[in-house]
Amino acid sequence: MVGDPPGPVAGAAPRSWREVRDWSAALLLSRTGEDVAAWNRRVAEAGLGDEPALRAWLADRGVTGYAQALLVWERFGYPDFLTADAGQLIDGQYEDRPGLRPVLDAVLAAAPALGPVTVQARKTCVTLVSPRRTFAVVQPTSRSRVDLGLRLDGVEPSGRLLAAKNVGNGSINRRIALSAPGDVDEEVLGWLRRAYDESTAPPAPRAPARRPAPVLGQVPVVIEGFDLPGRSWCPAPGGSSYQYVHVALHGHDRDRAYLEMPGRGGWLAIEPVPADAPSARWEAQVTVRRGDAGLDFGGPFVRGDRTDRHLALAWGDVPGDGTLRLFRACKFGLADVDPGLVEDALRPGRRLVVRARLNARGNPGCSDVAWSVERAP
């Protein structure tokens, strides 16, 4: 959905996070064949009285991740950030600093001249997104300052261009402090234009791949996680806190449910699971090759160089805008698995299973990792 533009700015109407509801509903229908109304009837008939019971009931029926979260929200109420429209989100940002609202308007007024730009309202900031990625963030940081955060690669801080801390997501690395609309001058517009142009440039071509080793076959690898630590997490007293923690499989498969991970080179958070779920499960197909140095692994879920092939889980905060903001990852090293187990798993009807406690001393992470080979069901 598109909210009302702030003030008289034309051509830069911010979108709110409410679109995640439509995305989740479509995901639920595609994965289960039943829409939200049908599932709401089934939930009502089940008579489940609390959120953990409902999550466990849905997980038993194969409803996980965002589709599960949607039905929990339908039953127990939606978070504020999903029910607010763009105007409400922005009004909340500037409620105690109305004199800074014209600074945002000045930046948004310049956005249409850059090219195709999606302006998205969030709870604490407004982001500017090119057809390829987020390139700028407008965030009221204090009662007297708005920070224009920019993604500028290879540009050192100098003059008004400062290092960015706690502005937008991890891909925003520079900021300019603004206190009045007049601060959005030619210099600022030049940096904004440069950030946009860099965001729309195609990525550099990759070097030609070496001739691959012979393929031995495909191995289904199942990751089963238990003892998740909970949906909220604060790493240290007084530090940043995360309220919607999820865990997902790193990958490149856009045919499965996923969230974007800004600044992570195109890697996606596949099938995110809330960190208060009773358990989590992912499956990935891994290609096994035999090279001069032994077994090697590949596929859309395999990370690392030849000596460090691994699968990974991504831990992050999910603000509800289609992204997972990564703050931690844990690896399952394929290169460390007994080659005998791998060759056993290559046999028909077998699979490689890794089980792990997704709780490292009360924090998001992985511990008690164990590999085995099992018969496929």
Side-chain angles (χ1 to χ4, degrees):
M1 300 181 186
V2 178
D4 295 330
V9 180
R15 298 181 180 182
S16 75
W17 294 349
R18 296 174 65 185
E19 293 151 310
V20 74
R21 292 190 298 182
D22 298 332
W23 178 82
S24 300
L27 176 64
L28 178 69
L29 179 61
S30 67
R31 295 184 67 180
T32 68
E34 295 184 276
D35 61 12
V36 174
W39 275 102
N40 280 344
R41 288 192 294 270
R42 294 179 62 180
V43 170
E45 292 167 359
L48 302 167
D50 58 50
E51 183 174 329
L54 176 55
R55 288 190 178 277
W57 184 85
L58 291 169
D60 288 343
R61 287 152 183 79
V63 182
T64 59
Y66 253 67
Q68 182 185 107
L70 172 66
L71 294 176
V72 171
W73 291 335
E74 285 282 314
R75 171 66 179 84
F76 295 107
Y78 282 86
D80 290 343
F81 67 76
L82 286 176
T83 57
D85 62 23
Q88 291 171 324
L89 290 170
I90 294 175
D91 287 345
Q93 295 173 26
Y94 293 90
E95 183 176 9
D96 60 348
R97 60 200 83 185
L100 293 179
R101 178 64 178 270
V103 178
L104 169 67
D105 294 346
V107 175
L108 295 186
L114 300 173
V117 175
T118 298
V119 181
Q120 194 168 54
R122 299 180 179 177
K123 190 171 184 178
T124 60
C125 63
V126 173
T127 61
L128 279 66
V129 187
S130 77
R132 184 171 160 227
R133 69 190 187 196
T134 298
F135 67 94
V137 171
V138 186
Q139 178 175 306
T141 308
S142 71
R143 296 293 181 91
S144 61
R145 188 182 90 233
V146 171
D147 279 326
L148 173 62
L150 301 169
R151 178 171 181 169
L152 292 167
D153 297 329
V155 179
E156 294 298 322
S158 177
R160 296 171 67 190
L161 194 65
L162 308 173
K165 293 183 179 180
N166 303 318
V167 179
N169 57 51
S171 66
I172 299 298
N173 57 2
R174 299 291 174 260
R175 68 177 177 90
I176 300 175
L178 307 171
S179 58
D183 292 343
V184 186
D185 54 18
E186 290 301 318
E187 180 186 359
V188 171
L189 295 178
W191 287 120
L192 187 65
R193 161 61 67 183
R194 176 164 175 171
Y196 178 83
D197 289 345
E198 288 185 5
S199 75
T200 56
R206 294 184 178 181
R210 294 184 299 175
R211 183 181 182 86
V215 173
L216 295 180
Q218 299 279 329
V219 171
V221 180
V222 175
I223 301 174
E224 294 184 349
F226 61 94
D227 189 24
L228 278 71
R231 200 187 306 187
S232 61
W233 180 55
C234 183
S240 299
S241 62
Y242 305 98
Q243 301 301 320
Y244 300 97
V245 178
H246 287 57
V247 58
L249 176 66
H250 273 265
H252 282 302
D253 187 356
R254 290 183 177 268
D255 291 331
R256 294 163 68 171
Y258 69 87
L259 298 173
E260 300 280 355
M261 290 196 295
R264 300 297 164 180
W267 285 91
L268 307 171
I270 305 294
E271 296 178 350
V273 176
D276 59 352
S279 62
R281 182 184 184 278
W282 301 269
E283 182 168 340
Q285 289 292 325
V286 173
T287 301
V288 183
R289 300 176 183 271
R290 188 184 300 280
D292 295 337
L295 298 181
D296 194 11
F297 306 90
F301 302 96
V302 176
R303 298 171 53 91
D305 60 25
R306 175 67 182 81
T307 62
D308 185 34
R309 304 289 196 216
H310 62 270
L311 303 175
L313 294 183
W315 291 96
D317 206 26
V318 174
D321 61 349
T323 66
L324 180 142
R325 306 300 169 132
L326 182 73
F327 58 71
R328 177 171 292 180
C330 55
K331 302 194 301 185
F332 300 99
L334 295 166
D336 299 330
V337 179
D338 184 342
L341 282 180
V342 177
E343 294 184 1
D344 189 11
L346 282 166
R347 296 163 56 194
R350 305 281 180 142
R351 63 183 185 179
L352 193 59
V353 179
V354 55
R355 292 185 174 88
R357 186 184 306 276
L358 301 185
N359 190 330
R361 298 181 181 178
N363 299 319
C366 300
S367 60
D368 300 330
V369 177
W371 291 87
S372 62
V373 174
E374 297 181 359
R375 292 186 180 274

